[in-house]
Amino acid sequence: MKAIIYTTPGDSSRLTLVDRSVPDPAPGEVRVRVVVSGVNPTDWKAREGSGSAAGSVGESVPNQDGAGIVDAVGEGVSHVRVGDRVWLVIAAYQRPRSGTAQEYTVVPADRVIPLPDEADFELGASLGVPALTAHRALTVAEDAPDRLHPGALRGRTVLVAGGAGAVGHAAIQLARWSGARVITTVSNDAKAALARAAGAHDVVDYTQEDAVARIRALAPDGVDQVVEVAVSANDALNTAVVRERATIATYANDRGRPLTVDVGQAMRLNLRYQFVLLYTVGAEAITRGAEDVNAAIRDGALPIGEAAGLPLHRFPLERTADAHDAVQNNTVGKVLIQVQQP
Ligand SMILES: NC(=O)c1ccc[n+]([C@@H]2O[C@H](COP(=O)([O-])OP(=O)(O)OC[C@H]3O[C@@H](n4cnc5c(N)ncnc54)[C@H](OP(=O)(O)O)[C@@H]3O)[C@@H](O)[C@H]2O)c1
Protein backbone atom coordinates (compact mmCIF):
# COMPACT_ATOMS: atom_id res chain seq x y z
CA MET A 1 0.00 0.00 0.00
CA LYS A 2 1.00 3.65 -0.43
CA ALA A 3 1.96 5.51 2.73
CA ILE A 4 3.48 8.89 3.55
CA ILE A 5 6.15 8.70 6.23
CA TYR A 6 8.75 10.79 8.03
CA THR A 7 11.53 9.47 10.24
CA THR A 8 13.07 12.64 11.69
CA PRO A 9 11.29 15.83 12.75
CA GLY A 10 11.54 18.82 10.47
CA ASP A 11 9.94 20.64 7.55
CA SER A 12 7.53 19.13 5.04
CA SER A 13 10.34 17.98 2.72
CA ARG A 14 10.71 15.04 5.11
CA LEU A 15 7.39 13.61 3.99
CA THR A 16 8.11 10.72 1.65
CA LEU A 17 5.84 8.41 -0.31
CA VAL A 18 6.75 4.75 0.30
CA ASP A 19 5.30 1.28 -0.20
CA ARG A 20 4.42 -0.64 2.96
CA SER A 21 2.65 -3.91 3.71
CA VAL A 22 -0.95 -3.66 4.92
CA PRO A 23 -1.04 -4.02 8.75
CA ASP A 24 -3.34 -6.50 10.53
CA PRO A 25 -5.63 -5.48 13.41
CA ALA A 26 -4.94 -6.99 16.85
CA PRO A 27 -7.83 -7.75 19.25
CA GLY A 28 -9.77 -4.54 19.92
CA GLU A 29 -8.44 -2.83 16.78
CA VAL A 30 -9.94 -1.94 13.41
CA ARG A 31 -8.29 -1.69 9.98
CA VAL A 32 -9.70 1.13 7.88
CA ARG A 33 -9.21 1.65 4.16
CA VAL A 34 -8.64 5.42 4.21
CA VAL A 35 -10.43 7.42 1.50
CA VAL A 36 -9.83 11.00 2.70
CA SER A 37 -7.27 12.27 5.23
CA GLY A 38 -7.87 15.60 7.01
CA VAL A 39 -4.99 17.93 7.94
CA ASN A 40 -4.91 20.06 11.09
CA PRO A 41 -2.25 22.32 12.66
CA THR A 42 -1.41 19.52 15.12
CA ASP A 43 -0.15 17.42 12.18
CA TRP A 44 2.56 19.82 11.01
CA LYS A 45 3.44 20.63 14.62
CA ALA A 46 3.94 16.92 15.35
CA ARG A 47 5.97 16.54 12.16
CA GLU A 48 8.20 19.42 13.30
CA GLY A 49 8.61 17.78 16.69
CA SER A 50 6.49 20.31 18.59
CA GLY A 51 2.91 20.40 19.86
CA SER A 52 0.96 17.94 21.97
CA ALA A 53 1.22 15.00 19.58
CA ALA A 54 4.99 15.24 19.14
CA GLY A 55 6.61 12.10 20.31
CA SER A 56 8.52 9.14 19.29
CA VAL A 57 11.41 9.07 16.94
CA GLY A 58 11.20 6.48 14.19
CA GLU A 59 8.91 5.97 11.24
CA SER A 60 5.70 8.01 11.54
CA VAL A 61 2.69 8.45 9.29
CA PRO A 62 1.14 11.94 9.63
CA ASN A 63 -2.44 13.11 10.20
CA GLN A 64 -4.93 12.38 12.97
CA ASP A 65 -8.21 12.76 11.05
CA GLY A 66 -9.64 10.70 8.23
CA ALA A 67 -12.60 8.81 6.83
CA GLY A 68 -12.92 5.55 4.98
CA ILE A 69 -14.30 2.02 5.00
CA VAL A 70 -13.78 -0.69 7.61
CA ASP A 71 -11.57 -3.33 6.00
CA ALA A 72 -10.99 -5.77 8.89
CA VAL A 73 -11.87 -5.97 12.58
CA GLY A 74 -9.92 -7.55 15.41
CA GLU A 75 -11.39 -9.93 17.94
CA GLY A 76 -13.92 -8.33 20.27
CA VAL A 77 -14.88 -5.41 18.04
CA SER A 78 -18.64 -5.21 17.62
CA HIS A 79 -19.70 -1.58 17.00
CA VAL A 80 -18.50 -1.56 13.37
CA ARG A 81 -18.32 -4.24 10.68
CA VAL A 82 -16.35 -4.78 7.49
CA GLY A 83 -17.77 -2.48 4.81
CA ASP A 84 -19.04 0.21 7.21
CA ARG A 85 -18.26 3.84 6.39
CA VAL A 86 -16.46 5.46 9.33
CA TRP A 87 -14.57 8.55 10.50
CA LEU A 88 -11.49 8.49 12.67
CA VAL A 89 -10.43 10.51 15.68
CA ILE A 90 -6.86 10.94 17.06
CA ALA A 91 -5.77 8.05 14.84
CA ALA A 92 -2.05 8.65 15.34
CA TYR A 93 -2.03 9.70 18.99
CA GLN A 94 0.66 7.60 20.69
CA ARG A 95 0.55 5.36 17.59
CA PRO A 96 2.99 7.01 15.16
CA ARG A 97 2.35 4.52 12.36
CA SER A 98 -1.43 4.88 12.51
CA GLY A 99 -1.74 8.29 10.82
CA THR A 100 -4.27 8.64 8.03
CA ALA A 101 -1.88 9.62 5.21
CA GLN A 102 -1.79 6.02 3.98
CA GLU A 103 -4.14 3.66 2.23
CA TYR A 104 -4.82 1.46 5.28
CA THR A 105 -4.48 2.26 8.97
CA VAL A 106 -5.09 0.21 12.11
CA VAL A 107 -6.47 2.03 15.16
CA PRO A 108 -8.15 1.12 18.48
CA ALA A 109 -11.88 0.54 18.08
CA ASP A 110 -12.90 3.52 20.24
CA ARG A 111 -11.27 5.86 17.69
CA VAL A 112 -13.51 4.56 14.88
CA ILE A 113 -16.90 6.28 14.58
CA PRO A 114 -19.69 5.20 12.20
CA LEU A 115 -20.19 7.82 9.46
CA PRO A 116 -23.87 8.73 8.97
CA ASP A 117 -25.36 8.18 5.50
CA GLU A 118 -25.85 11.96 5.24
CA ALA A 119 -22.07 12.57 5.28
CA ASP A 120 -19.53 12.04 2.49
CA PHE A 121 -15.91 11.08 3.19
CA GLU A 122 -14.73 14.69 2.94
CA LEU A 123 -17.05 15.71 5.75
CA GLY A 124 -15.98 12.62 7.70
CA ALA A 125 -12.32 13.62 7.40
CA SER A 126 -13.10 17.18 8.53
CA LEU A 127 -14.68 16.20 11.83
CA GLY A 128 -12.20 14.65 14.27
CA VAL A 129 -9.98 17.38 15.67
CA PRO A 130 -12.14 20.44 14.84
CA ALA A 131 -15.60 19.12 15.73
CA LEU A 132 -14.64 17.20 18.86
CA THR A 133 -12.51 20.07 20.16
CA ALA A 134 -15.43 22.42 19.59
CA HIS A 135 -17.79 19.95 21.30
CA ARG A 136 -15.55 19.74 24.33
CA ALA A 137 -15.18 23.53 24.52
CA LEU A 138 -18.96 23.95 24.38
CA THR A 139 -19.74 21.33 27.04
CA VAL A 140 -17.46 22.31 29.92
CA ALA A 141 -19.18 25.54 31.04
CA GLU A 142 -20.82 26.14 34.40
CA ASP A 143 -24.57 25.44 34.28
CA ALA A 144 -24.24 24.06 30.74
CA PRO A 145 -24.97 20.44 29.79
CA ASP A 146 -22.22 18.00 28.86
CA ARG A 147 -24.18 16.91 25.78
CA LEU A 148 -25.25 18.94 22.75
CA HIS A 149 -28.61 18.61 20.99
CA PRO A 150 -31.20 21.05 19.68
CA GLY A 151 -32.13 23.27 22.62
CA ALA A 152 -29.18 22.24 24.82
CA LEU A 153 -27.73 25.77 24.81
CA ARG A 154 -31.01 27.68 24.45
CA GLY A 155 -30.87 31.01 26.27
CA ARG A 156 -27.08 31.08 26.34
CA THR A 157 -24.79 33.46 24.46
CA VAL A 158 -21.59 31.89 23.12
CA LEU A 159 -18.63 33.96 21.91
CA VAL A 160 -16.50 32.04 19.40
CA ALA A 161 -13.09 33.63 18.83
CA GLY A 162 -11.85 33.24 15.26
CA GLY A 163 -15.04 32.08 13.59
CA ALA A 164 -13.34 31.47 10.23
CA GLY A 165 -10.93 28.92 11.69
CA ALA A 166 -11.56 25.20 11.44
CA VAL A 167 -12.40 24.76 15.13
CA GLY A 168 -14.21 28.11 15.21
CA HIS A 169 -16.35 26.99 12.27
CA ALA A 170 -17.35 23.77 14.03
CA ALA A 171 -18.03 25.67 17.26
CA ILE A 172 -20.36 28.09 15.48
CA GLN A 173 -22.25 25.24 13.82
CA LEU A 174 -22.57 23.11 16.95
CA ALA A 175 -23.54 26.07 19.15
CA ARG A 176 -26.10 27.21 16.60
CA TRP A 177 -27.54 23.70 16.28
CA SER A 178 -27.80 23.58 20.08
CA GLY A 179 -29.87 26.75 20.19
CA ALA A 180 -27.29 29.26 21.43
CA ARG A 181 -27.01 32.88 20.39
CA VAL A 182 -23.63 32.94 18.62
CA ILE A 183 -21.29 35.93 18.38
CA THR A 184 -17.93 35.49 16.68
CA THR A 185 -14.78 37.51 16.00
CA VAL A 186 -12.80 37.66 12.74
CA SER A 187 -10.00 39.78 11.27
CA ASN A 188 -11.35 40.76 7.83
CA ASP A 189 -14.42 40.94 5.58
CA ALA A 190 -13.77 37.65 3.79
CA LYS A 191 -13.61 35.81 7.11
CA ALA A 192 -16.73 37.66 8.27
CA ALA A 193 -18.61 36.28 5.27
CA LEU A 194 -17.45 32.75 6.11
CA ALA A 195 -18.44 33.09 9.76
CA ARG A 196 -21.89 34.31 8.74
CA ALA A 197 -22.20 31.41 6.30
CA ALA A 198 -21.35 29.05 9.16
CA GLY A 199 -24.34 30.41 11.05
CA ALA A 200 -23.04 33.08 13.44
CA HIS A 201 -25.76 35.55 14.43
CA ASP A 202 -23.31 38.41 14.85
CA VAL A 203 -19.79 38.89 13.52
CA VAL A 204 -17.31 41.37 14.99
CA ASP A 205 -14.13 42.40 13.14
CA TYR A 206 -11.70 42.72 16.04
CA THR A 207 -9.20 44.60 13.86
CA GLN A 208 -11.63 47.34 12.83
CA GLU A 209 -14.16 47.75 15.62
CA ASP A 210 -14.13 48.35 19.35
CA ALA A 211 -14.83 44.67 19.98
CA VAL A 212 -15.67 45.12 23.67
CA ALA A 213 -18.20 47.88 23.01
CA ARG A 214 -19.78 45.98 20.12
CA ILE A 215 -20.09 42.68 21.99
CA ARG A 216 -21.38 44.46 25.11
CA ALA A 217 -24.03 46.12 22.92
CA LEU A 218 -24.96 42.76 21.37
CA ALA A 219 -25.05 40.96 24.72
CA PRO A 220 -25.82 43.51 27.45
CA ASP A 221 -26.19 40.78 30.11
CA GLY A 222 -22.80 39.35 29.20
CA VAL A 223 -21.54 36.33 27.34
CA ASP A 224 -22.13 32.96 29.06
CA GLN A 225 -19.28 31.03 27.52
CA VAL A 226 -16.31 31.67 25.26
CA VAL A 227 -14.71 29.22 22.82
CA GLU A 228 -11.19 30.64 22.64
CA VAL A 229 -8.29 30.18 20.22
CA ALA A 230 -6.02 32.94 21.56
CA VAL A 231 -6.56 32.97 25.32
CA SER A 232 -3.78 35.35 26.19
CA ALA A 233 -4.31 37.88 23.39
CA ASN A 234 -8.05 37.94 24.06
CA ASP A 235 -8.12 37.87 27.85
CA ALA A 236 -8.84 41.57 28.27
CA LEU A 237 -11.66 41.32 25.70
CA ASN A 238 -13.13 38.18 27.24
CA THR A 239 -13.13 39.42 30.82
CA ALA A 240 -14.78 42.65 29.67
CA VAL A 241 -17.71 40.93 27.94
CA VAL A 242 -18.52 37.85 30.05
CA ARG A 243 -21.19 37.67 32.72
CA GLU A 244 -20.61 36.40 36.24
CA ARG A 245 -19.95 32.64 36.43
CA ALA A 246 -18.98 32.51 32.76
CA THR A 247 -16.54 29.95 31.33
CA ILE A 248 -13.67 30.68 28.96
CA ALA A 249 -12.86 27.35 27.29
CA THR A 250 -9.58 27.64 25.45
CA TYR A 251 -8.04 25.19 23.03
CA ALA A 252 -5.11 27.33 21.88
CA ASN A 253 -2.99 30.34 22.68
CA ASP A 254 -2.30 31.55 19.16
CA ARG A 255 0.12 34.46 18.98
CA GLY A 256 0.33 33.84 22.68
CA ARG A 257 2.37 35.12 25.47
CA PRO A 258 1.84 33.23 28.70
CA LEU A 259 -1.61 33.96 30.12
CA THR A 260 -1.55 36.47 32.98
CA VAL A 261 -4.74 36.34 35.01
CA ASP A 262 -6.07 39.36 36.91
CA VAL A 263 -7.00 37.24 39.91
CA GLY A 264 -9.18 39.87 41.56
CA GLN A 265 -11.24 40.42 38.43
CA ALA A 266 -11.51 36.69 37.74
CA MET A 267 -12.71 36.12 41.33
CA ARG A 268 -15.24 38.95 41.13
CA LEU A 269 -16.65 37.28 38.04
CA ASN A 270 -16.50 33.78 39.54
CA LEU A 271 -14.87 33.08 36.21
CA ARG A 272 -13.79 29.64 35.02
CA TYR A 273 -10.87 29.05 32.71
CA GLN A 274 -11.19 25.60 31.18
CA PHE A 275 -8.25 24.32 29.15
CA VAL A 276 -9.02 21.88 26.36
CA LEU A 277 -6.75 19.37 24.68
CA LEU A 278 -8.49 16.76 22.58
CA TYR A 279 -5.81 14.12 23.08
CA THR A 280 -6.43 13.90 26.82
CA VAL A 281 -10.19 14.45 27.16
CA GLY A 282 -10.65 10.69 27.64
CA ALA A 283 -12.60 8.02 25.79
CA GLU A 284 -15.98 8.89 27.35
CA ALA A 285 -15.85 12.55 26.26
CA ILE A 286 -14.84 11.44 22.77
CA THR A 287 -17.73 8.99 22.61
CA ARG A 288 -20.22 11.62 23.83
CA GLY A 289 -18.84 14.16 21.38
CA ALA A 290 -18.91 11.75 18.46
CA GLU A 291 -22.53 10.76 19.17
CA ASP A 292 -23.61 14.41 19.28
CA VAL A 293 -21.62 15.28 16.16
CA ASN A 294 -23.27 12.40 14.30
CA ALA A 295 -26.69 13.63 15.44
CA ALA A 296 -25.85 17.11 14.14
CA ILE A 297 -24.77 15.59 10.81
CA ARG A 298 -28.09 13.72 10.53
CA ASP A 299 -29.83 17.07 11.11
CA GLY A 300 -27.79 18.64 8.29
CA ALA A 301 -26.20 21.05 10.79
CA LEU A 302 -22.50 20.51 9.96
CA PRO A 303 -22.07 21.23 6.25
CA ILE A 304 -18.62 22.10 4.88
CA GLY A 305 -17.49 23.93 1.73
CA GLU A 306 -17.31 27.64 0.98
CA ALA A 307 -21.09 28.12 0.97
CA ALA A 308 -21.14 26.74 4.51
CA GLY A 309 -18.21 28.89 5.67
CA LEU A 310 -15.37 26.36 5.26
CA PRO A 311 -13.65 26.41 1.82
CA LEU A 312 -12.10 23.06 0.88
CA HIS A 313 -8.55 22.62 -0.45
CA ARG A 314 -7.86 19.19 -1.94
CA PHE A 315 -4.52 17.46 -2.52
CA PRO A 316 -3.61 13.96 -3.75
CA LEU A 317 -1.68 11.70 -1.34
CA GLU A 318 1.54 12.32 -3.27
CA ARG A 319 1.26 16.03 -2.37
CA THR A 320 0.88 15.58 1.38
CA ALA A 321 3.83 17.96 1.88
CA ASP A 322 1.94 20.72 0.03
CA ALA A 323 -1.13 19.98 2.13
CA HIS A 324 0.92 20.36 5.31
CA ASP A 325 2.43 23.61 4.04
CA ALA A 326 -1.04 24.94 3.23
CA VAL A 327 -2.16 24.42 6.84
CA GLN A 328 1.13 25.73 8.23
CA ASN A 329 0.72 28.88 6.08
CA ASN A 330 -2.72 29.55 7.60
CA THR A 331 -4.85 28.63 4.60
CA VAL A 332 -8.43 29.56 5.41
CA GLY A 333 -10.72 26.54 5.30
CA LYS A 334 -10.18 22.79 5.40
CA VAL A 335 -7.22 21.01 3.83
CA LEU A 336 -8.02 17.47 2.69
CA ILE A 337 -5.99 14.70 1.09
CA GLN A 338 -7.67 12.31 -1.34
CA VAL A 339 -5.90 9.08 -0.39
CA GLN A 340 -7.76 6.75 -2.78
CA GLN A 341 -11.13 6.34 -4.43
CA PRO A 342 -13.89 4.86 -2.24
N1 LIG B 1 -6.33 21.98 22.17
C1 LIG B 1 -6.76 21.23 21.18
O1 LIG B 1 -7.17 20.08 21.38
C2 LIG B 1 -6.75 21.79 19.80
C3 LIG B 1 -7.61 21.27 18.85
C4 LIG B 1 -7.64 21.86 17.60
C5 LIG B 1 -6.80 22.92 17.30
N2 LIG B 1 -5.93 23.35 18.24
C6 LIG B 1 -5.06 24.50 17.95
O2 LIG B 1 -5.91 25.60 17.74
C7 LIG B 1 -5.36 26.48 16.79
C8 LIG B 1 -6.39 26.73 15.70
O3 LIG B 1 -6.67 25.53 15.00
P1 LIG B 1 -7.59 25.57 13.71
O4 LIG B 1 -7.50 24.25 13.06
O5 LIG B 1 -8.92 26.13 14.01
O6 LIG B 1 -6.75 26.63 12.85
P2 LIG B 1 -7.20 27.64 11.71
O7 LIG B 1 -8.23 27.05 10.84
O8 LIG B 1 -5.93 28.14 11.10
O9 LIG B 1 -7.88 28.82 12.52
C9 LIG B 1 -7.22 29.63 13.43
C10 LIG B 1 -8.07 30.88 13.58
O10 LIG B 1 -7.68 31.58 14.74
C11 LIG B 1 -7.94 32.95 14.48
N3 LIG B 1 -7.25 33.80 15.43
C12 LIG B 1 -5.94 33.86 15.71
N4 LIG B 1 -5.72 34.80 16.65
C13 LIG B 1 -6.93 35.32 16.98
C14 LIG B 1 -7.37 36.32 17.88
N5 LIG B 1 -6.52 37.00 18.68
N6 LIG B 1 -8.70 36.57 17.95
C15 LIG B 1 -9.57 35.93 17.19
N7 LIG B 1 -9.20 34.97 16.30
C16 LIG B 1 -7.89 34.68 16.20
C17 LIG B 1 -7.44 33.10 13.04
O11 LIG B 1 -8.03 34.19 12.40
P3 LIG B 1 -7.27 35.58 12.25
O12 LIG B 1 -5.82 35.31 12.09
O13 LIG B 1 -7.86 36.20 11.06
O14 LIG B 1 -7.60 36.30 13.50
C18 LIG B 1 -7.94 31.81 12.40
O15 LIG B 1 -9.21 31.98 11.82
C19 LIG B 1 -4.07 25.82 16.33
O16 LIG B 1 -3.00 26.35 17.08
C20 LIG B 1 -4.26 24.37 16.68
O17 LIG B 1 -3.05 23.69 16.88
C21 LIG B 1 -5.90 22.83 19.49
Side-chain angles (χ1 to χ4, degrees):
M1 68 161 178
K2 288 188 206 166
I4 299 289
I5 61 156
Y6 61 99
T7 48
T8 52
D11 65 22
S12 64
S13 67
R14 274 143 180 88
L15 297 173
T16 312
L17 180 67
V18 297
D19 194 34
R20 288 286 177 271
S21 53
V22 175
D24 287 324
E29 293 182 337
V30 178
R31 182 168 72 212
V32 174
R33 182 173 175 270
V34 182
V35 176
V36 181
S37 172
V39 189
N40 294 283
T42 189
D43 301 319
W44 66 257
K45 291 176 186 176
R47 188 207 68 225
E48 284 202 333
S50 64
S52 315
S56 61
V57 188
E59 188 169 300
S60 301
V61 176
N63 301 352
Q64 301 288 343
D65 289 352
I69 299 163
V70 173
D71 187 65
V73 296
E75 202 184 306
V77 174
S78 57
H79 80 297
V80 289
R81 288 188 297 190
V82 171
D84 284 356
R85 300 161 73 254
V86 293
W87 54 286
L88 299 176
V89 54
I90 57 172
Y93 183 56
Q94 297 178 331
R95 297 174 62 97
R97 286 169 190 243
S98 292
T100 59
Q102 55 186 337
E103 290 180 320
Y104 295 86
T105 186
V106 170
V107 297
D110 60 7
R111 303 185 190 187
V112 180
I113 319 291
L115 184 64
D117 293 343
E118 292 80 356
D120 62 16
F121 290 113
E122 289 191 332
L123 175 55
S126 305
L127 296 171
V129 168
L132 293 186
T133 302
H135 184 278
R136 172 76 175 170
L138 287 167
T139 53
V140 287
E142 183 160 356
D143 303 328
D146 68 356
R147 299 296 298 250
L148 298 181
H149 53 80
L153 299 180
R154 186 171 298 129
R156 299 180 71 84
T157 299
V158 175
L159 173 61
V160 177
V167 179
H169 176 264
I172 292 171
Q173 290 182 320
L174 285 170
R176 188 68 205 257
W177 174 65
S178 303
R181 159 94 180 280
V182 183
I183 303 172
T184 192
T185 56
V186 295
S187 65
N188 60 45
D189 288 348
K191 289 185 174 182
L194 294 173
R196 263 186 222 99
H201 294 95
D202 297 288
V203 180
V204 178
D205 185 334
Y206 70 89
T207 68
Q208 301 294 325
E209 307 174 65
D210 177 341
V212 170
R214 176 87 196 289
I215 295 168
R216 271 271 159 213
L218 290 166
D221 295 333
V223 166
D224 296 279
Q225 49 194 106
V226 182
V227 178
E228 184 55 79
V229 66
V231 68
S232 170
N234 287 333
D235 194 56
L237 164 66
N238 290 334
T239 50
V241 301
V242 293
R243 69 154 170 80
E244 292 169 358
R245 296 180 301 286
T247 299
I248 299 171
T250 184
Y251 59 92
N253 192 23
D254 270 23
R255 297 171 208 164
R257 312 168 297 276
L259 173 64
T260 304
V261 176
D262 178 338
V263 175
Q265 184 183 34
M267 285 197 320
R268 276 191 297 281
L269 286 165
N270 256 285
L271 184 60
R272 261 192 213 189
Y273 288 91
Q274 169 75 47
F275 296 85
V276 172
L277 180 68
L278 183 62
Y279 295 118
T280 52
V281 296
E284 285 178 16
I286 286 193
T287 301
R288 288 195 300 269
E291 287 174 1
D292 294 351
V293 165
N294 273 355
I297 289 172
R298 287 189 204 97
D299 282 355
L302 298 183
I304 57 173
E306 181 139 18
L310 194 72
L312 303 182
H313 310 275
R314 301 176 173 96
F315 295 83
L317 184 64
E318 294 72 13
R319 289 184 58 210
T320 295
D322 293 333
H324 269 220
D325 289 344
V327 175
Q328 194 161 357
N329 294 329
N330 300 315
T331 295
V332 178
K334 187 71 218 175
V335 172
L336 297 170
I337 295 169
Q338 185 75 47
V339 177
Q340 58 188 317
Q341 292 305 314

